[in-house]
Amino acid sequence: MPRAKPNHVGAFFDVDKTILAENSGTAYLKLMYQRGEIDWRAVVFGLGSYLRYKLNLLDIERWTEKNSVMFQGRNESATAREAADLFQTALLPSIYPEAEARVRWHLAQGHLVALVSGSTKFVLDPLAAHLGVKHLLCTQLETEEGVFTGRVVRPICFGEGKIYWIQQLIEREYVDLARSWFYTDSITDLPLLDLVGHPVIVNPDPLLYRKALSRHWPVRFFTKPAVLES
C-alpha cells in the first residue's frame, strides 16, 4: 500500500538564545562551579568555547566528545534531578515570553512542535514539559544500566546532525517540510533553514543576520525577560 502523503505542519525550535535568553551550557557550568565540581579555569574555557561557537569557529563534534567524558560514571537519574533544579532556578526565568507564545500558538494550530537542540534531554525535558512539547531532538549521551559511559551517540544534534534527527521524525510523523517552520538564532542552523518553507530568524548572530537580510527572511528580536534585565 502506498505511503500516505505528508500532512503535518512542523514547527521546529532551536533552544539556546531562541527560546532561552541564557545559554543552557553556560548555566550548567556556573552550577558546577558553585558546587565546587570545576574550577574557574574550566569556566573560562567553557565561555571561550561558547564564543568560538557563536563565531562558527568551534569544532562542535570534538568539543561534545571531550565534554561527554566528564559525565562518565555519573548516574543518569541523579543528573536528571540536577537538570530539573537547574531549569527551575536558571532556565525557567530566562524563557523569552515571545518564544513561549510562538510555541503555544503552533500547538494551538495543531502543528507538530519539536525542540531541536545540541543540548541533552536533561536540559530539554523540563523545558518541554513546561511548554507542553512532546517531541525532542537532541544530543544523546550513551548510558549502560543507568550510568553514563562517557561517550556520545552519533550523530550529535548539530548542523547536518539536526537534519538527520529531523528526517527520522518527519518520516515517522509524516511532516511536510515545505509547510513547516524553523526558529533559530545561529548561522550553524543554515542547512535546516534552507529546508523549511518558513524560516524565522530570532535574535540572530551577526553572520545569520546578514544571511537573513540577503534571503529576505523574517527577523524577530525577542525581549529578554524582565527578571534578567533587572
Short mmCIF file of all heavy atoms in Angstrom, two decimals, residues 38-81:
data_model
loop_
_atom_site.label_atom_id
_atom_site.label_comp_id
_atom_site.label_asym_id
_atom_site.label_seq_id
_atom_site.Cartn_x
_atom_site.Cartn_y
_atom_site.Cartn_z
N ILE A 38 34.04 22.10 39.43
CA ILE A 38 35.05 22.57 38.48
C ILE A 38 35.64 23.86 39.02
O ILE A 38 35.03 24.52 39.87
CB ILE A 38 34.45 22.81 37.07
CG1 ILE A 38 33.30 23.84 37.14
CG2 ILE A 38 33.96 21.51 36.45
CD1 ILE A 38 32.77 24.21 35.76
N ASP A 39 36.81 24.25 38.51
CA ASP A 39 37.43 25.50 38.96
C ASP A 39 37.18 26.61 37.95
O ASP A 39 36.58 26.39 36.89
CB ASP A 39 38.92 25.31 39.23
CG ASP A 39 39.70 24.85 38.00
OD1 ASP A 39 39.20 25.05 36.87
OD2 ASP A 39 40.80 24.31 38.16
N TRP A 40 37.68 27.79 38.26
CA TRP A 40 37.42 28.95 37.42
C TRP A 40 38.02 28.80 36.03
O TRP A 40 37.49 29.34 35.05
CB TRP A 40 37.95 30.22 38.08
CG TRP A 40 39.45 30.26 38.25
CD1 TRP A 40 40.16 29.83 39.34
CD2 TRP A 40 40.40 30.72 37.30
NE1 TRP A 40 41.52 30.00 39.12
CE2 TRP A 40 41.69 30.56 37.89
CE3 TRP A 40 40.31 31.27 36.03
CZ2 TRP A 40 42.86 30.91 37.21
CZ3 TRP A 40 41.47 31.63 35.36
CH2 TRP A 40 42.74 31.46 35.96
N ARG A 41 39.11 28.02 35.93
CA ARG A 41 39.72 27.83 34.61
C ARG A 41 38.80 27.07 33.67
O ARG A 41 38.74 27.36 32.47
CB ARG A 41 41.05 27.09 34.77
CG ARG A 41 42.16 27.95 35.36
CD ARG A 41 43.36 27.16 35.76
NE ARG A 41 43.06 26.28 36.89
CZ ARG A 41 43.96 25.59 37.56
NH1 ARG A 41 45.24 25.66 37.20
NH2 ARG A 41 43.61 24.83 38.58
N ALA A 42 38.06 26.11 34.21
CA ALA A 42 37.10 25.36 33.39
C ALA A 42 35.97 26.27 32.94
O ALA A 42 35.47 26.14 31.80
CB ALA A 42 36.55 24.18 34.18
N VAL A 43 35.58 27.21 33.80
CA VAL A 43 34.53 28.15 33.43
C VAL A 43 35.00 29.06 32.30
O VAL A 43 34.29 29.29 31.31
CB VAL A 43 34.09 28.99 34.65
CG1 VAL A 43 33.08 30.06 34.22
CG2 VAL A 43 33.50 28.10 35.73
N VAL A 44 36.23 29.58 32.43
CA VAL A 44 36.79 30.45 31.39
C VAL A 44 36.91 29.69 30.07
O VAL A 44 36.58 30.21 29.00
CB VAL A 44 38.15 30.99 31.83
CG1 VAL A 44 38.84 31.73 30.67
CG2 VAL A 44 37.99 31.94 33.02
N PHE A 45 37.37 28.43 30.16
CA PHE A 45 37.49 27.61 28.94
C PHE A 45 36.12 27.42 28.29
O PHE A 45 35.97 27.50 27.07
CB PHE A 45 38.12 26.27 29.28
CG PHE A 45 38.24 25.34 28.10
CD1 PHE A 45 39.25 25.50 27.18
CD2 PHE A 45 37.31 24.31 27.91
CE1 PHE A 45 39.36 24.67 26.08
CE2 PHE A 45 37.41 23.47 26.81
CZ PHE A 45 38.43 23.65 25.90
N GLY A 46 35.11 27.16 29.14
CA GLY A 46 33.77 26.96 28.61
C GLY A 46 33.22 28.20 27.94
O GLY A 46 32.60 28.13 26.87
N LEU A 47 33.46 29.36 28.55
CA LEU A 47 32.99 30.61 27.96
C LEU A 47 33.72 30.90 26.65
O LEU A 47 33.12 31.41 25.70
CB LEU A 47 33.19 31.76 28.95
CG LEU A 47 32.34 31.70 30.23
CD1 LEU A 47 32.70 32.84 31.16
CD2 LEU A 47 30.84 31.77 29.88
N GLY A 48 35.00 30.57 26.61
CA GLY A 48 35.75 30.74 25.37
C GLY A 48 35.24 29.85 24.25
O GLY A 48 35.15 30.26 23.09
N SER A 49 34.87 28.63 24.62
CA SER A 49 34.31 27.70 23.63
C SER A 49 32.98 28.22 23.10
O SER A 49 32.68 28.11 21.90
CB SER A 49 34.11 26.32 24.27
OG SER A 49 35.34 25.77 24.66
N TYR A 50 32.19 28.80 24.00
CA TYR A 50 30.90 29.35 23.58
C TYR A 50 31.10 30.51 22.60
O TYR A 50 30.38 30.62 21.60
CB TYR A 50 30.10 29.82 24.79
CG TYR A 50 28.80 30.49 24.43
CD1 TYR A 50 27.77 29.76 23.82
CD2 TYR A 50 28.58 31.84 24.69
CE1 TYR A 50 26.57 30.38 23.47
CE2 TYR A 50 27.39 32.45 24.35
CZ TYR A 50 26.40 31.71 23.75
OH TYR A 50 25.22 32.32 23.40
N LEU A 51 32.10 31.35 22.85
CA LEU A 51 32.39 32.45 21.94
C LEU A 51 32.80 31.93 20.57
O LEU A 51 32.34 32.44 19.54
CB LEU A 51 33.49 33.34 22.53
CG LEU A 51 33.93 34.53 21.67
CD1 LEU A 51 32.76 35.46 21.37
CD2 LEU A 51 35.07 35.28 22.33
N ARG A 52 33.65 30.90 20.54
CA ARG A 52 34.05 30.32 19.26
C ARG A 52 32.85 29.71 18.54
O ARG A 52 32.75 29.78 17.30
CB ARG A 52 35.13 29.25 19.47
CG ARG A 52 36.45 29.82 19.99
CD ARG A 52 37.61 28.86 19.77
NE ARG A 52 37.38 27.56 20.40
CZ ARG A 52 37.64 27.30 21.67
NH1 ARG A 52 38.10 28.25 22.47
NH2 ARG A 52 37.43 26.09 22.15
N TYR A 53 31.94 29.12 19.31
CA TYR A 53 30.72 28.56 18.71
C TYR A 53 29.90 29.66 18.05
O TYR A 53 29.42 29.50 16.92
CB TYR A 53 29.90 27.86 19.79
CG TYR A 53 28.45 27.63 19.42
CD1 TYR A 53 28.10 26.65 18.50
CD2 TYR A 53 27.44 28.42 19.97
CE1 TYR A 53 26.78 26.44 18.14
CE2 TYR A 53 26.12 28.22 19.62
CZ TYR A 53 25.79 27.23 18.71
OH TYR A 53 24.48 27.04 18.35
N LYS A 54 29.74 30.81 18.74
CA LYS A 54 28.94 31.90 18.18
C LYS A 54 29.57 32.46 16.91
O LYS A 54 28.86 32.98 16.04
CB LYS A 54 28.77 33.02 19.22
CG LYS A 54 27.96 32.64 20.44
CD LYS A 54 26.55 32.23 20.08
CE LYS A 54 25.70 33.38 19.61
NZ LYS A 54 24.30 32.98 19.35
N LEU A 55 30.89 32.33 16.81
CA LEU A 55 31.59 32.81 15.61
C LEU A 55 31.72 31.72 14.56
O LEU A 55 32.36 31.92 13.53
CB LEU A 55 32.98 33.31 16.00
CG LEU A 55 33.01 34.55 16.91
CD1 LEU A 55 34.44 34.85 17.35
CD2 LEU A 55 32.39 35.76 16.21
N ASN A 56 31.10 30.57 14.83
CA ASN A 56 31.13 29.42 13.91
C ASN A 56 32.56 28.92 13.70
O ASN A 56 32.93 28.49 12.61
CB ASN A 56 30.49 29.78 12.56
CG ASN A 56 30.03 28.55 11.79
OD1 ASN A 56 29.78 27.50 12.37
ND2 ASN A 56 29.93 28.67 10.48
N LEU A 57 33.37 28.96 14.78
CA LEU A 57 34.76 28.54 14.71
C LEU A 57 35.04 27.30 15.54
O LEU A 57 36.17 26.81 15.55
CB LEU A 57 35.67 29.68 15.19
CG LEU A 57 35.63 30.98 14.39
CD1 LEU A 57 36.49 32.04 15.06
CD2 LEU A 57 36.09 30.75 12.95
N LEU A 58 34.03 26.79 16.22
CA LEU A 58 34.24 25.66 17.14
C LEU A 58 33.98 24.33 16.44
O LEU A 58 32.97 24.18 15.75
CB LEU A 58 33.30 25.80 18.35
CG LEU A 58 33.41 24.73 19.43
CD1 LEU A 58 34.76 24.82 20.13
CD2 LEU A 58 32.28 24.88 20.44
N ASP A 59 34.90 23.39 16.63
CA ASP A 59 34.67 22.01 16.18
C ASP A 59 33.72 21.37 17.19
O ASP A 59 34.16 20.80 18.19
CB ASP A 59 36.00 21.25 16.11
CG ASP A 59 35.84 19.85 15.54
OD1 ASP A 59 34.71 19.30 15.58
OD2 ASP A 59 36.85 19.28 15.09
N ILE A 60 32.43 21.46 16.92
CA ILE A 60 31.42 21.10 17.91
C ILE A 60 31.43 19.60 18.20
O ILE A 60 31.18 19.19 19.35
CB ILE A 60 30.02 21.57 17.47
CG1 ILE A 60 29.04 21.52 18.64
CG2 ILE A 60 29.53 20.77 16.27
CD1 ILE A 60 29.31 22.51 19.71
N GLU A 61 31.74 18.77 17.22
CA GLU A 61 31.75 17.33 17.47
C GLU A 61 32.89 16.96 18.42
O GLU A 61 32.69 16.19 19.38
CB GLU A 61 31.88 16.56 16.15
CG GLU A 61 30.64 16.66 15.28
CD GLU A 61 30.53 15.52 14.30
OE1 GLU A 61 31.27 14.52 14.46
OE2 GLU A 61 29.70 15.61 13.39
N ARG A 62 34.06 17.51 18.18
CA ARG A 62 35.20 17.23 19.06
C ARG A 62 34.94 17.78 20.45
O ARG A 62 35.25 17.13 21.46
CB ARG A 62 36.46 17.84 18.46
CG ARG A 62 37.73 17.54 19.24
CD ARG A 62 38.93 18.10 18.52
NE ARG A 62 40.16 17.85 19.25
CZ ARG A 62 41.37 18.27 18.86
NH1 ARG A 62 41.47 18.94 17.73
NH2 ARG A 62 42.42 18.01 19.59
N TRP A 63 34.35 18.97 20.52
CA TRP A 63 34.05 19.60 21.81
C TRP A 63 33.04 18.76 22.59
O TRP A 63 33.18 18.56 23.80
CB TRP A 63 33.52 21.00 21.59
CG TRP A 63 33.21 21.76 22.84
CD1 TRP A 63 34.08 22.51 23.58
CD2 TRP A 63 31.95 21.84 23.49
NE1 TRP A 63 33.43 23.06 24.67
CE2 TRP A 63 32.12 22.67 24.64
CE3 TRP A 63 30.69 21.32 23.23
CZ2 TRP A 63 31.08 22.96 25.51
CZ3 TRP A 63 29.64 21.61 24.10
CH2 TRP A 63 29.85 22.42 25.23
N THR A 64 32.00 18.27 21.90
CA THR A 64 30.98 17.46 22.56
C THR A 64 31.56 16.16 23.08
O THR A 64 31.27 15.72 24.20
CB THR A 64 29.82 17.17 21.60
OG1 THR A 64 29.26 18.42 21.15
CG2 THR A 64 28.73 16.36 22.27
N GLU A 65 32.40 15.51 22.27
CA GLU A 65 33.03 14.27 22.71
C GLU A 65 33.88 14.49 23.95
O GLU A 65 33.85 13.70 24.90
CB GLU A 65 33.90 13.70 21.58
CG GLU A 65 33.11 13.07 20.45
CD GLU A 65 34.02 12.50 19.38
OE1 GLU A 65 35.24 12.81 19.40
OE2 GLU A 65 33.52 11.74 18.53
N LYS A 66 34.64 15.58 23.95
CA LYS A 66 35.52 15.87 25.09
C LYS A 66 34.71 16.12 26.36
O LYS A 66 35.06 15.64 27.44
CB LYS A 66 36.38 17.09 24.77
CG LYS A 66 37.36 17.44 25.87
CD LYS A 66 38.27 18.60 25.45
CE LYS A 66 39.26 18.94 26.55
NZ LYS A 66 40.17 20.05 26.14
N ASN A 67 33.60 16.85 26.23
CA ASN A 67 32.81 17.20 27.40
C ASN A 67 31.95 16.04 27.88
O ASN A 67 31.60 15.99 29.07
CB ASN A 67 31.94 18.42 27.10
CG ASN A 67 32.71 19.71 27.21
OD1 ASN A 67 32.82 20.31 28.27
ND2 ASN A 67 33.27 20.15 26.10
N SER A 68 31.60 15.12 27.00
CA SER A 68 30.79 13.98 27.44
C SER A 68 31.56 13.08 28.39
O SER A 68 30.97 12.37 29.22
CB SER A 68 30.29 13.18 26.23
OG SER A 68 31.37 12.57 25.53
N VAL A 69 32.89 13.13 28.30
CA VAL A 69 33.72 12.29 29.17
C VAL A 69 33.53 12.66 30.64
O VAL A 69 33.61 11.80 31.52
CB VAL A 69 35.21 12.42 28.76
CG1 VAL A 69 36.11 11.69 29.76
CG2 VAL A 69 35.42 11.87 27.36
N MET A 70 33.25 13.94 30.92
CA MET A 70 33.13 14.34 32.32
C MET A 70 31.89 13.75 32.98
O MET A 70 31.75 13.78 34.20
CB MET A 70 33.12 15.87 32.45
CG MET A 70 31.89 16.57 31.97
SD MET A 70 32.04 18.35 32.21
CE MET A 70 30.44 18.91 31.61
N PHE A 71 30.98 13.18 32.18
CA PHE A 71 29.80 12.52 32.75
C PHE A 71 30.04 11.04 33.02
O PHE A 71 29.18 10.38 33.60
CB PHE A 71 28.60 12.67 31.80
CG PHE A 71 28.04 14.06 31.74
CD1 PHE A 71 28.47 14.96 30.77
CD2 PHE A 71 27.08 14.47 32.65
CE1 PHE A 71 27.95 16.24 30.72
CE2 PHE A 71 26.56 15.75 32.61
CZ PHE A 71 26.99 16.64 31.65
N GLN A 72 31.18 10.53 32.60
CA GLN A 72 31.45 9.09 32.75
C GLN A 72 31.32 8.66 34.20
O GLN A 72 31.88 9.27 35.12
CB GLN A 72 32.85 8.77 32.24
CG GLN A 72 33.17 7.28 32.24
CD GLN A 72 34.52 7.00 31.60
OE1 GLN A 72 35.26 7.91 31.28
NE2 GLN A 72 34.83 5.72 31.43
N GLY A 73 30.51 7.62 34.41
CA GLY A 73 30.31 7.08 35.75
C GLY A 73 29.20 7.74 36.54
O GLY A 73 28.84 7.24 37.61
N ARG A 74 28.65 8.83 36.03
CA ARG A 74 27.57 9.50 36.75
C ARG A 74 26.25 8.78 36.54
O ARG A 74 26.01 8.15 35.51
CB ARG A 74 27.41 10.95 36.28
CG ARG A 74 28.57 11.86 36.67
CD ARG A 74 28.18 13.31 36.46
NE ARG A 74 29.26 14.21 36.81
CZ ARG A 74 29.12 15.52 36.94
NH1 ARG A 74 27.94 16.07 36.74
NH2 ARG A 74 30.14 16.29 37.26
N ASN A 75 25.38 8.91 37.52
CA ASN A 75 24.07 8.29 37.46
C ASN A 75 23.12 9.14 36.63
O ASN A 75 23.02 10.36 36.83
CB ASN A 75 23.53 8.11 38.89
CG ASN A 75 22.17 7.44 38.91
OD1 ASN A 75 21.15 8.09 38.78
ND2 ASN A 75 22.18 6.12 39.07
N GLU A 76 22.41 8.50 35.70
CA GLU A 76 21.51 9.22 34.81
C GLU A 76 20.36 9.88 35.58
O GLU A 76 20.01 11.04 35.32
CB GLU A 76 20.95 8.27 33.75
CG GLU A 76 20.05 8.93 32.72
CD GLU A 76 19.59 7.95 31.67
OE1 GLU A 76 19.76 6.73 31.87
OE2 GLU A 76 19.04 8.41 30.64
N SER A 77 19.78 9.17 36.53
CA SER A 77 18.65 9.72 37.29
C SER A 77 19.07 10.92 38.12
O SER A 77 18.35 11.92 38.21
CB SER A 77 18.04 8.64 38.19
OG SER A 77 17.52 7.57 37.43
N ALA A 78 20.24 10.84 38.74
CA ALA A 78 20.73 11.96 39.55
C ALA A 78 20.99 13.18 38.67
O ALA A 78 20.69 14.33 39.07
CB ALA A 78 22.00 11.56 40.28
N THR A 79 21.52 12.95 37.48
CA THR A 79 21.77 14.06 36.56
C THR A 79 20.45 14.70 36.12
O THR A 79 20.37 15.93 35.99
CB THR A 79 22.55 13.56 35.33
OG1 THR A 79 23.79 13.00 35.76
CG2 THR A 79 22.81 14.68 34.35
N ALA A 80 19.43 13.88 35.91
CA ALA A 80 18.11 14.42 35.54
C ALA A 80 17.55 15.30 36.65
O ALA A 80 16.95 16.34 36.38
CB ALA A 80 17.15 13.28 35.21
N ARG A 81 17.75 14.88 37.91
CA ARG A 81 17.27 15.70 39.03
C ARG A 81 18.04 17.02 39.11
O ARG A 81 17.45 18.08 39.36
CB ARG A 81 17.41 14.91 40.34
CG ARG A 81 16.42 13.75 40.47
CD ARG A 81 16.40 13.20 41.89
NE ARG A 81 17.68 12.61 42.27
CZ ARG A 81 17.99 11.34 42.06
NH1 ARG A 81 17.13 10.53 41.46
NH2 ARG A 81 19.17 10.86 42.46
#
